[in-house]
Every structure is written in structure tokens, then in C-alpha cells.
Amino acid sequence: MNGVDRPASPTTTEDTPSTPGWVEGSLDAILAELPVTAEKLAAPRARYLDCLAGCGRAQDLDAEHDACRKAFLAELSSVLPLSAPDQRALEQKLEKLELDISASI
């Protein structure tokens, strides 16, 4: 069997949605400012990144990002109670991250 006879196989990049490579580092920089360990943030962080990765194929990217951010902030509130001003500051940083993602797509 030569290469022409073999059926095409999708690569992992075709199978798994992902965010641009710089997103994780940017998110980690935002989360590093919070007074909680990375261990406690690991699960919400992973779910937020997965949610953002799934948005790349959405029609209304802003609405999808909003849903991801709101779910992430709700989950974070159970791990880390923030004051209203601190929560708003975090939300603005996440919004900026999402805008940067949208601009790079």
C-alpha cells in the first residue's frame, strides 16, 4: 500500500479545539494576582480555557466568550470570595483577554 491508497487521517489539531498558544500564559498572569493557590484555581482555569477553545467555531463569538467568563467567575466565587470592585477588575481583565483572542482569530 502506498501513501495514495491510505485513507486520510485527521490530526489532533483538527480533532481538538484550542485557544492560541499565548492565551494560557496571559490567563496565568491574570490569575497570579489573585490571593489563592494555583492548585485551587486549576480546575476552574481548565474549564474556562476549554470553554474559550470551543468558542472558535461559534457564530457569535462575543456572546460565547461572555458565557465562558460568567461561568468562570461564578465558579471562582466559590473558591475565592472577591469584593465587588475586585471582581469587576478581574472581569475587565478577562474581557480584555477575550477581545485579544477575538482579534487574533
Side-chain angles (χ1 to χ4, degrees), residues 48 51-52 55 58 60-75 88 91-92 94-99 101-102:
Y48 179 59
C51 186
L52 291 177
C55 294
D60 187 352
L61 193 56
D62 291 336
E64 294 293 321
H65 282 170
D66 288 347
C68 292
R69 181 179 355 92
K70 287 177 183 176
F72 179 61
L73 290 171
E75 191 172 358
R88 183 62 191 141
E91 186 173 16
Q92 289 173 335
L94 296 173
E95 288 171 347
K96 167 87 170 72
L97 174 64
E98 293 160 7
L99 286 172
I101 294 169
S102 296

mmCIF file of all heavy atoms in Angstrom, residues 48 51-52 55 58 60-75 88 91-92 94-99 101-102:
data_model
loop_
_atom_site.group_PDB
_atom_site.id
_atom_site.type_symbol
_atom_site.label_atom_id
_atom_site.label_comp_id
_atom_site.label_asym_id
_atom_site.label_seq_id
_atom_site.Cartn_x
_atom_site.Cartn_y
_atom_site.Cartn_z
ATOM 1 N N TYR A 48 -12.437 26.991 32.009
ATOM 2 C CA TYR A 48 -12.523 28.270 31.293
ATOM 3 C C TYR A 48 -11.767 28.190 29.970
ATOM 4 O O TYR A 48 -12.283 28.587 28.920
ATOM 5 C CB TYR A 48 -11.977 29.389 32.179
ATOM 6 C CG TYR A 48 -11.987 30.766 31.569
ATOM 7 C CD1 TYR A 48 -13.165 31.368 31.131
ATOM 8 C CD2 TYR A 48 -10.815 31.496 31.453
ATOM 9 C CE1 TYR A 48 -13.176 32.642 30.589
ATOM 10 C CE2 TYR A 48 -10.811 32.782 30.925
ATOM 11 C CZ TYR A 48 -11.994 33.339 30.488
ATOM 12 O OH TYR A 48 -11.992 34.611 29.947
ATOM 13 N N CYS A 51 -13.682 26.084 27.574
ATOM 14 C CA CYS A 51 -14.839 26.830 27.073
ATOM 15 C C CYS A 51 -14.410 27.827 25.994
ATOM 16 O O CYS A 51 -15.021 27.901 24.930
ATOM 17 C CB CYS A 51 -15.527 27.545 28.239
ATOM 18 S SG CYS A 51 -17.068 28.376 27.784
ATOM 19 N N LEU A 52 -13.337 28.562 26.265
ATOM 20 C CA LEU A 52 -12.838 29.524 25.275
ATOM 21 C C LEU A 52 -12.424 28.820 23.983
ATOM 22 O O LEU A 52 -12.670 29.325 22.893
ATOM 23 C CB LEU A 52 -11.652 30.308 25.839
ATOM 24 C CG LEU A 52 -11.936 31.300 26.950
ATOM 25 C CD1 LEU A 52 -10.637 31.928 27.445
ATOM 26 C CD2 LEU A 52 -12.917 32.374 26.512
ATOM 27 N N CYS A 55 -15.194 28.146 21.640
ATOM 28 C CA CYS A 55 -15.835 29.327 21.054
ATOM 29 C C CYS A 55 -15.337 29.640 19.648
ATOM 30 O O CYS A 55 -15.995 30.371 18.925
ATOM 31 C CB CYS A 55 -15.582 30.560 21.921
ATOM 32 S SG CYS A 55 -16.358 30.493 23.527
ATOM 33 N N ALA A 58 -17.926 29.325 16.997
ATOM 34 C CA ALA A 58 -19.259 29.885 17.266
ATOM 35 C C ALA A 58 -19.560 31.048 16.327
ATOM 36 O O ALA A 58 -18.663 31.745 15.876
ATOM 37 C CB ALA A 58 -19.334 30.371 18.703
ATOM 38 N N ASP A 60 -21.553 33.742 17.181
ATOM 39 C CA ASP A 60 -21.457 34.976 17.961
ATOM 40 C C ASP A 60 -20.376 34.791 19.020
ATOM 41 O O ASP A 60 -20.646 34.401 20.152
ATOM 42 C CB ASP A 60 -22.807 35.305 18.598
ATOM 43 C CG ASP A 60 -22.810 36.661 19.280
ATOM 44 O OD1 ASP A 60 -21.735 37.283 19.397
ATOM 45 O OD2 ASP A 60 -23.892 37.090 19.715
ATOM 46 N N LEU A 61 -19.159 35.089 18.646
ATOM 47 C CA LEU A 61 -18.003 34.860 19.496
ATOM 48 C C LEU A 61 -18.095 35.642 20.800
ATOM 49 O O LEU A 61 -17.770 35.123 21.863
ATOM 50 C CB LEU A 61 -16.731 35.216 18.736
ATOM 51 C CG LEU A 61 -15.406 34.768 19.326
ATOM 52 C CD1 LEU A 61 -15.391 33.267 19.552
ATOM 53 C CD2 LEU A 61 -14.268 35.162 18.406
ATOM 54 N N ASP A 62 -18.559 36.889 20.742
ATOM 55 C CA ASP A 62 -18.661 37.699 21.957
ATOM 56 C C ASP A 62 -19.632 37.089 22.960
ATOM 57 O O ASP A 62 -19.349 37.043 24.163
ATOM 58 C CB ASP A 62 -19.075 39.132 21.626
ATOM 59 C CG ASP A 62 -17.984 39.898 20.896
ATOM 60 O OD1 ASP A 62 -16.795 39.528 21.044
ATOM 61 O OD2 ASP A 62 -18.317 40.854 20.179
ATOM 62 N N ALA A 63 -20.771 36.622 22.487
ATOM 63 C CA ALA A 63 -21.751 36.003 23.382
ATOM 64 C C ALA A 63 -21.196 34.721 23.997
ATOM 65 O O ALA A 63 -21.418 34.450 25.186
ATOM 66 C CB ALA A 63 -23.042 35.717 22.633
ATOM 67 N N GLU A 64 -20.463 33.944 23.214
ATOM 68 C CA GLU A 64 -19.862 32.723 23.728
ATOM 69 C C GLU A 64 -18.800 33.034 24.773
ATOM 70 O O GLU A 64 -18.726 32.378 25.809
ATOM 71 C CB GLU A 64 -19.254 31.899 22.587
ATOM 72 C CG GLU A 64 -20.286 31.362 21.623
ATOM 73 C CD GLU A 64 -21.188 30.328 22.255
ATOM 74 O OE1 GLU A 64 -20.716 29.498 23.052
ATOM 75 O OE2 GLU A 64 -22.393 30.348 21.950
ATOM 76 N N HIS A 65 -17.966 34.041 24.495
ATOM 77 C CA HIS A 65 -16.964 34.450 25.476
ATOM 78 C C HIS A 65 -17.628 34.933 26.759
ATOM 79 O O HIS A 65 -17.154 34.624 27.864
ATOM 80 C CB HIS A 65 -16.067 35.555 24.910
ATOM 81 C CG HIS A 65 -15.019 35.060 23.977
ATOM 82 N ND1 HIS A 65 -14.252 35.908 23.204
ATOM 83 C CD2 HIS A 65 -14.590 33.813 23.670
ATOM 84 C CE1 HIS A 65 -13.409 35.203 22.480
ATOM 85 N NE2 HIS A 65 -13.591 33.932 22.746
ATOM 86 N N ASP A 66 -18.707 35.693 26.627
ATOM 87 C CA ASP A 66 -19.432 36.175 27.809
ATOM 88 C C ASP A 66 -19.903 35.008 28.662
ATOM 89 O O ASP A 66 -19.772 35.036 29.891
ATOM 90 C CB ASP A 66 -20.639 37.027 27.407
ATOM 91 C CG ASP A 66 -20.265 38.393 26.868
ATOM 92 O OD1 ASP A 66 -19.090 38.807 27.015
ATOM 93 O OD2 ASP A 66 -21.149 39.058 26.295
ATOM 94 N N ALA A 67 -20.445 33.987 28.033
ATOM 95 C CA ALA A 67 -20.938 32.819 28.765
ATOM 96 C C ALA A 67 -19.789 32.106 29.488
ATOM 97 O O ALA A 67 -19.935 31.699 30.651
ATOM 98 C CB ALA A 67 -21.650 31.864 27.816
ATOM 99 N N CYS A 68 -18.645 31.982 28.819
ATOM 100 C CA CYS A 68 -17.482 31.343 29.439
ATOM 101 C C CYS A 68 -17.016 32.139 30.654
ATOM 102 O O CYS A 68 -16.740 31.578 31.720
ATOM 103 C CB CYS A 68 -16.326 31.232 28.442
ATOM 104 S SG CYS A 68 -16.597 30.099 27.077
ATOM 105 N N ARG A 69 -16.923 33.449 30.486
ATOM 106 C CA ARG A 69 -16.451 34.320 31.563
ATOM 107 C C ARG A 69 -17.392 34.277 32.755
ATOM 108 O O ARG A 69 -16.958 34.163 33.905
ATOM 109 C CB ARG A 69 -16.283 35.756 31.069
ATOM 110 C CG ARG A 69 -15.769 36.704 32.125
ATOM 111 C CD ARG A 69 -15.575 38.147 31.631
ATOM 112 N NE ARG A 69 -15.791 38.376 30.236
ATOM 113 C CZ ARG A 69 -16.964 38.747 29.698
ATOM 114 N NH1 ARG A 69 -18.022 38.952 30.446
ATOM 115 N NH2 ARG A 69 -17.063 38.935 28.395
ATOM 116 N N LYS A 70 -18.692 34.348 32.498
ATOM 117 C CA LYS A 70 -19.669 34.335 33.596
ATOM 118 C C LYS A 70 -19.610 33.021 34.364
ATOM 119 O O LYS A 70 -19.669 33.006 35.598
ATOM 120 C CB LYS A 70 -21.067 34.600 33.052
ATOM 121 C CG LYS A 70 -21.244 36.048 32.642
ATOM 122 C CD LYS A 70 -22.595 36.319 32.030
ATOM 123 C CE LYS A 70 -22.660 37.771 31.581
ATOM 124 N NZ LYS A 70 -23.885 38.086 30.891
ATOM 125 N N ALA A 71 -19.485 31.914 33.656
ATOM 126 C CA ALA A 71 -19.381 30.616 34.324
ATOM 127 C C ALA A 71 -18.090 30.537 35.139
ATOM 128 O O ALA A 71 -18.090 30.032 36.273
ATOM 129 C CB ALA A 71 -19.434 29.492 33.293
ATOM 130 N N PHE A 72 -17.010 31.040 34.586
ATOM 131 C CA PHE A 72 -15.723 31.026 35.279
ATOM 132 C C PHE A 72 -15.788 31.887 36.539
ATOM 133 O O PHE A 72 -15.362 31.452 37.613
ATOM 134 C CB PHE A 72 -14.630 31.528 34.329
ATOM 135 C CG PHE A 72 -13.253 31.590 34.935
ATOM 136 C CD1 PHE A 72 -12.641 30.452 35.416
ATOM 137 C CD2 PHE A 72 -12.565 32.781 34.992
ATOM 138 C CE1 PHE A 72 -11.363 30.498 35.969
ATOM 139 C CE2 PHE A 72 -11.287 32.848 35.531
ATOM 140 C CZ PHE A 72 -10.686 31.700 36.018
ATOM 141 N N LEU A 73 -16.343 33.077 36.435
ATOM 142 C CA LEU A 73 -16.444 33.961 37.598
ATOM 143 C C LEU A 73 -17.360 33.370 38.665
ATOM 144 O O LEU A 73 -17.078 33.489 39.867
ATOM 145 C CB LEU A 73 -16.922 35.355 37.175
ATOM 146 C CG LEU A 73 -15.909 36.169 36.376
ATOM 147 C CD1 LEU A 73 -16.556 37.432 35.820
ATOM 148 C CD2 LEU A 73 -14.690 36.506 37.221
ATOM 149 N N ALA A 74 -18.426 32.730 38.259
ATOM 150 C CA ALA A 74 -19.326 32.086 39.220
ATOM 151 C C ALA A 74 -18.604 30.961 39.957
ATOM 152 O O ALA A 74 -18.738 30.816 41.175
ATOM 153 C CB ALA A 74 -20.567 31.557 38.510
ATOM 154 N N GLU A 75 -17.841 30.185 39.216
ATOM 155 C CA GLU A 75 -17.094 29.098 39.841
ATOM 156 C C GLU A 75 -15.996 29.640 40.758
ATOM 157 O O GLU A 75 -15.762 29.113 41.836
ATOM 158 C CB GLU A 75 -16.496 28.194 38.764
ATOM 159 C CG GLU A 75 -15.934 26.922 39.318
ATOM 160 C CD GLU A 75 -15.513 25.938 38.250
ATOM 161 O OE1 GLU A 75 -15.677 26.211 37.047
ATOM 162 O OE2 GLU A 75 -15.009 24.875 38.631
ATOM 163 N N ARG A 88 -14.980 43.054 39.623
ATOM 164 C CA ARG A 88 -15.122 43.826 38.382
ATOM 165 C C ARG A 88 -13.764 43.998 37.695
ATOM 166 O O ARG A 88 -13.669 43.904 36.474
ATOM 167 C CB ARG A 88 -15.769 45.200 38.665
ATOM 168 C CG ARG A 88 -15.995 46.012 37.422
ATOM 169 C CD ARG A 88 -16.956 45.305 36.453
ATOM 170 N NE ARG A 88 -16.945 45.992 35.176
ATOM 171 C CZ ARG A 88 -16.999 45.399 33.998
ATOM 172 N NH1 ARG A 88 -17.125 44.099 33.902
ATOM 173 N NH2 ARG A 88 -16.962 46.097 32.892
ATOM 174 N N GLU A 91 -12.978 40.776 36.060
ATOM 175 C CA GLU A 91 -13.842 40.616 34.885
ATOM 176 C C GLU A 91 -13.327 41.451 33.710
ATOM 177 O O GLU A 91 -13.302 40.985 32.569
ATOM 178 C CB GLU A 91 -15.271 41.015 35.230
ATOM 179 C CG GLU A 91 -16.246 40.749 34.114
ATOM 180 C CD GLU A 91 -17.694 40.990 34.530
ATOM 181 O OE1 GLU A 91 -17.940 41.640 35.555
ATOM 182 O OE2 GLU A 91 -18.569 40.513 33.791
ATOM 183 N N GLN A 92 -12.876 42.659 33.976
ATOM 184 C CA GLN A 92 -12.351 43.517 32.908
ATOM 185 C C GLN A 92 -11.081 42.934 32.296
ATOM 186 O O GLN A 92 -10.888 43.005 31.076
ATOM 187 C CB GLN A 92 -12.089 44.922 33.440
ATOM 188 C CG GLN A 92 -13.363 45.681 33.718
ATOM 189 C CD GLN A 92 -13.130 47.012 34.412
ATOM 190 O OE1 GLN A 92 -12.132 47.215 35.105
ATOM 191 N NE2 GLN A 92 -14.064 47.933 34.227
ATOM 192 N N LEU A 94 -10.364 39.752 32.123
ATOM 193 C CA LEU A 94 -10.793 38.605 31.319
ATOM 194 C C LEU A 94 -11.442 39.066 30.019
ATOM 195 O O LEU A 94 -11.222 38.460 28.963
ATOM 196 C CB LEU A 94 -11.757 37.727 32.120
ATOM 197 C CG LEU A 94 -11.174 37.057 33.363
ATOM 198 C CD1 LEU A 94 -12.269 36.352 34.149
ATOM 199 C CD2 LEU A 94 -10.043 36.107 33.012
ATOM 200 N N GLU A 95 -12.225 40.143 30.081
ATOM 201 C CA GLU A 95 -12.821 40.703 28.862
ATOM 202 C C GLU A 95 -11.740 41.131 27.886
ATOM 203 O O GLU A 95 -11.849 40.888 26.676
ATOM 204 C CB GLU A 95 -13.712 41.897 29.200
ATOM 205 C CG GLU A 95 -15.008 41.522 29.875
ATOM 206 C CD GLU A 95 -15.785 42.726 30.396
ATOM 207 O OE1 GLU A 95 -15.250 43.847 30.465
ATOM 208 O OE2 GLU A 95 -16.961 42.528 30.751
ATOM 209 N N LYS A 96 -10.687 41.742 28.395
ATOM 210 C CA LYS A 96 -9.573 42.175 27.536
ATOM 211 C C LYS A 96 -8.904 40.961 26.906
ATOM 212 O O LYS A 96 -8.597 40.968 25.704
ATOM 213 C CB LYS A 96 -8.568 42.971 28.374
ATOM 214 C CG LYS A 96 -7.233 43.228 27.709
ATOM 215 C CD LYS A 96 -7.226 44.452 26.877
ATOM 216 C CE LYS A 96 -5.869 44.862 26.395
ATOM 217 N NZ LYS A 96 -5.279 44.036 25.359
ATOM 218 N N LEU A 97 -8.701 39.920 27.681
ATOM 219 C CA LEU A 97 -8.126 38.689 27.149
ATOM 220 C C LEU A 97 -8.987 38.136 26.025
ATOM 221 O O LEU A 97 -8.494 37.771 24.953
ATOM 222 C CB LEU A 97 -7.974 37.648 28.267
ATOM 223 C CG LEU A 97 -7.517 36.254 27.863
ATOM 224 C CD1 LEU A 97 -6.104 36.287 27.295
ATOM 225 C CD2 LEU A 97 -7.603 35.314 29.043
ATOM 226 N N GLU A 98 -10.294 38.123 26.237
ATOM 227 C CA GLU A 98 -11.210 37.601 25.221
ATOM 228 C C GLU A 98 -11.216 38.468 23.968
ATOM 229 O O GLU A 98 -11.303 37.950 22.849
ATOM 230 C CB GLU A 98 -12.618 37.485 25.821
ATOM 231 C CG GLU A 98 -12.681 36.424 26.911
ATOM 232 C CD GLU A 98 -13.862 36.591 27.851
ATOM 233 O OE1 GLU A 98 -14.732 37.447 27.600
ATOM 234 O OE2 GLU A 98 -13.902 35.867 28.867
ATOM 235 N N LEU A 99 -11.118 39.775 24.142
ATOM 236 C CA LEU A 99 -11.022 40.667 22.973
ATOM 237 C C LEU A 99 -9.748 40.399 22.186
ATOM 238 O O LEU A 99 -9.760 40.402 20.951
ATOM 239 C CB LEU A 99 -11.071 42.132 23.411
ATOM 240 C CG LEU A 99 -12.441 42.651 23.840
ATOM 241 C CD1 LEU A 99 -12.299 44.051 24.446
ATOM 242 C CD2 LEU A 99 -13.407 42.664 22.685
ATOM 243 N N ILE A 101 -8.216 37.544 22.048
ATOM 244 C CA ILE A 101 -8.433 36.272 21.341
ATOM 245 C C ILE A 101 -9.230 36.516 20.071
ATOM 246 O O ILE A 101 -8.879 36.032 19.001
ATOM 247 C CB ILE A 101 -9.165 35.257 22.255
ATOM 248 C CG1 ILE A 101 -8.289 34.848 23.427
ATOM 249 C CG2 ILE A 101 -9.592 34.032 21.444
ATOM 250 C CD1 ILE A 101 -9.020 34.058 24.503
ATOM 251 N N SER A 102 -10.318 37.281 20.189
ATOM 252 C CA SER A 102 -11.160 37.581 19.018
ATOM 253 C C SER A 102 -10.363 38.269 17.928
ATOM 254 O O SER A 102 -10.540 37.980 16.745
ATOM 255 C CB SER A 102 -12.340 38.468 19.426
ATOM 256 O OG SER A 102 -13.186 37.793 20.322
#
